[in-house]
Amino acid sequence: MKILFVSLGCDKNLVDTEMMLGELLRKGYEFTDDEAEADIVVVNTCCFIGDAKEESINALLEMAELRKEGQIKVLVAAGCLAQRYKEEIQTEIPEVDVIIGTTAIDKIVEAIDEVLDGNAQNHYEDINAKPFTGTERVVTTGGHFAYLKIAEGCDKHCTYCIIPKVRGNFRSVPMENIVEQAKKLVENGAKELILVAQETTLYGMD
């Protein structure tokens, strides 16, 4: 079974994608960049701004057509749009087999296996759950540099910002896990580690 990942949004979302890829690799799944070869598609979505939301919806709709035609066997919606608009996705895009919330990315293998076994279940955790700290990652940035997520969520709760509703309140990744991840990334060839709180905004700053 070959899996295609469509990763949208910020660098934090990319780290989540790489962690999910790592979990799937451990279980023996193969990956592809060609949707014509894919048996399973995971769309890791974003909804930070209107354009990002539209891009994510269009990606899901495009893959839903392939699901409807039977070209792919499993379609997974993950990430921020999936967390925020899970009911709407289930209603409007029924071709999506399973939805994974932002704090349940460690359930990716279980979720796909359940669909293949005919027992699909959506996976969500408390929005303020501890950040997933798996160190098995498939780095997708070319290997010379990698992103290292040091925090999750935001306490600002600005009226114009969706982040706390999809990522929860601010939680730091435990220092020992950051060090462990950093060592493994360097061992695998990364020359530069870019710490991710949240790009150039106040989001993620303690």
Side-chain angles (χ1 to χ4, degrees):
M1 302 289 283
K2 292 186 177 181
I3 300 180
L4 168 68
F5 258 80
V6 180
S7 189
L8 306 172
C10 68
D11 300 332
K12 280 191 170 185
N13 228 31
L14 183 61
V15 172
D16 288 349
T17 289
E18 292 177 349
M19 287 184 171
M20 286 190 280
L21 287 168
E23 292 293 299
L24 290 161
L25 183 65
R26 283 197 310 116
K27 293 295 184 178
Y29 282 97
E30 297 181 36
F31 308 126
T32 180
D33 292 327
D34 186 351
E35 62 188 38
E37 295 182 350
D39 302 294
I40 300 165
V41 175
V42 180
V43 182
N44 199 11
T45 61
C46 177
C47 65
F48 187 57
I49 59 175
D51 287 347
K53 179 179 174 182
E54 183 178 355
E55 181 183 28
S56 294
I57 292 171
N58 287 339
L60 286 172
L61 289 173
E62 180 184 349
M63 297 305 162
E65 284 300 312
L66 299 181
R67 180 72 176 93
K68 190 185 302 181
E69 294 167 5
Q71 181 175 327
I72 60 176
K73 310 297 188 295
V74 180
L75 177 55
V76 181
C80 294
L81 184 84
Q83 177 73 45
R84 183 73 176 94
Y85 298 104
K86 45 187 175 287
E87 291 86 3
E88 289 86 346
I89 290 172
Q90 287 183 306
T91 301
E92 301 297 331
I93 315 178
E95 292 81 12
V96 171
D97 293 288
V98 64
I99 299 173
I100 297 176
T102 54
T103 53
I105 60 173
D106 59 314
K107 305 295 185 184
I108 182 66
V109 173
E110 181 180 343
I112 289 175
D113 287 348
E114 287 169 348
V115 175
L116 293 173
D117 290 339
N119 185 32
Q121 298 183 51
N122 294 331
H123 289 269
Y124 308 103
E125 300 292 340
D126 182 348
I127 196 68
N128 293 308
K130 292 194 301 184
F132 176 53
T133 55
T135 56
E136 297 297 330
R137 282 172 58 183
V138 175
V139 176
T140 60
T141 51
H144 297 295
F145 74 95
Y147 294 107
L148 186 59
K149 184 164 64 170
I150 62 173
E152 185 63 275
C154 184
D155 287 337
K156 302 297 181 185
H157 291 272
C158 302
T159 56
Y160 55 81
C161 182
I162 195 68
I163 294 301
K165 291 183 175 62
V166 295
R167 291 280 178 176
N169 293 323
F170 183 88
R171 292 100 69 210
S172 293
V173 175
M175 181 60 72
E176 59 272 18
N177 179 261
I178 294 174
V179 172
E180 185 181 357
Q181 284 193 62
K183 287 180 177 178
K184 184 157 289 189
L185 290 168
V186 170
E187 287 171 2
N188 290 335
K191 305 299 183 185
E192 180 182 7
L193 300 179
I194 301 174
L195 304 184
V196 180
Q198 182 60 27
E199 301 175 279
T200 58
T201 71
L202 285 175
Y203 162 47
M205 293 180 65
D206 193 354

